[in-house]
Amino acid sequence: MIVRPVRAARPVAALAGVLLSAGGVAAAGTDRPAPPGAAVGSAAVPAAAPAAPSAAVPAVASTAGSPAGVPARIDTSEAGATANLRAGPGTHYDRVGGVADGALVRIVCTTSTQPIEGPRGASTLWNRLSDGTWVTHALVEAVAGRRVAAECAPTGRRPQGDDYPYRQSLPAEDRWWMTPRQCTSFVSWRMEQLNGYFHNHMWRHGVSGGWGDAGDWDRNARWLGFAVDNTPRVGAIAQWDPG
């Protein structure tokens, strides 16, 4: 089967160079995942979607020279509360900072991944800010389900020879929560390079996935809404079932 994230109806969310690294940072601010069945705009969170586990801490890439972005205000509706800033669009990326209720931020682009509760309801939208961090749109002073900036574009970074980051190390898990030096790990690296956001437990448009073993990738791709067919194309993932 051919999994075609690049040709999907909506682009995979881009991290614009944001990568995962080892470590851990405890969440201390506000960005509560919406419960299964919660209303998210005109859609609902699928009750069957599994919860995503915590991931390793990503390092936030520099955004020097990035657009100024669209101004917006943080609204937690809780006195003294802060909205979590994360290194990727979802709570499975670790907290890298916080921003106070009422603070002004600038939104560079937006993508739809994990639903989060907010004072005006739940939203699957996550905003990448001008400093490269991400905040849930549910805590932005705007209609929770309405975008205020364009969809985040693919990174467009090209592979540079044998650049796989685990050539000389073998941790228990890589930064995509795959097994290092396995086919799934290498493909995750390439998808992150070319398309941006990619993770074993990634969310897409309010749906939680789990890529897991290579034999399950076609089923997970369909579950997340990616196109799956038998036509090879540049940028697609070639996948075979066992046997």
Side-chain angles (χ1 to χ4, degrees):
M1 302 298 292
I2 305 297
V3 180
R4 300 189 284 112
V6 176
R7 306 295 182 181
R10 301 177 73 177
V12 178
L15 291 190
V18 175
L19 305 179
L20 297 176
S21 62
V25 177
T30 298
D31 55 4
R32 293 183 295 273
V40 182
S42 59
V45 184
S54 176
V57 180
V60 180
S62 169
T63 55
S66 63
V70 178
R73 188 179 300 276
I74 297 296
D75 179 16
T76 66
S77 295
E78 298 179 23
T82 60
N84 286 328
L85 295 177
R86 296 189 179 271
T91 59
H92 54 296
Y93 285 95
D94 280 349
R95 182 181 186 272
V96 293
V99 59
D101 182 48
L104 290 175
V105 296
R106 288 191 171 271
I107 299 171
V108 174
C109 62
T110 297
T111 195
S112 175
T113 60
Q114 181 185 14
I116 299 295
E117 291 184 322
R120 288 163 300 281
S123 176
T124 65
L125 299 181
W126 284 75
N127 302 308
R128 184 168 70 84
L129 304 182
S130 56
D131 65 355
T133 61
W134 294 76
V135 66
T136 173
H137 194 62
L139 300 178
V140 170
E141 193 176 81
V143 176
R146 182 178 301 168
R147 294 177 184 271
V148 296
E151 174 80 19
C152 294
T155 61
R157 291 182 295 141
R158 307 302 302 178
Q160 300 294 322
D162 185 12
D163 56 359
Y164 178 64
Y166 297 97
R167 299 189 309 277
Q168 298 178 346
S169 63
L170 192 62
E173 292 173 328
D174 62 24
R175 67 193 190 207
W176 313 283
W177 276 50
M178 302 289 185
T179 302
R181 301 188 190 178
Q182 298 295 311
C183 60
T184 52
S185 176
F186 187 83
V187 171
S188 297
W189 166 235
R190 284 293 187 244
M191 295 310 296
E192 180 186 85
Q193 283 184 306
L194 299 177
N195 297 301
Y197 171 56
F198 196 87
H199 191 276
N200 194 0
H201 304 289
M202 65 186 287
W203 288 74
R204 189 166 187 263
H205 305 318
V207 178
S208 173
W211 293 99
D213 185 83
D216 297 323
W217 277 40
D218 54 342
R219 288 179 286 277
N220 185 66
R222 291 188 182 95
W223 170 251
L224 290 174
F226 291 116
V228 178
D229 56 28
N230 294 305
T231 304
R233 292 177 175 84
V234 174
I237 300 171
Q239 181 265 354
W240 291 265
D241 289 332

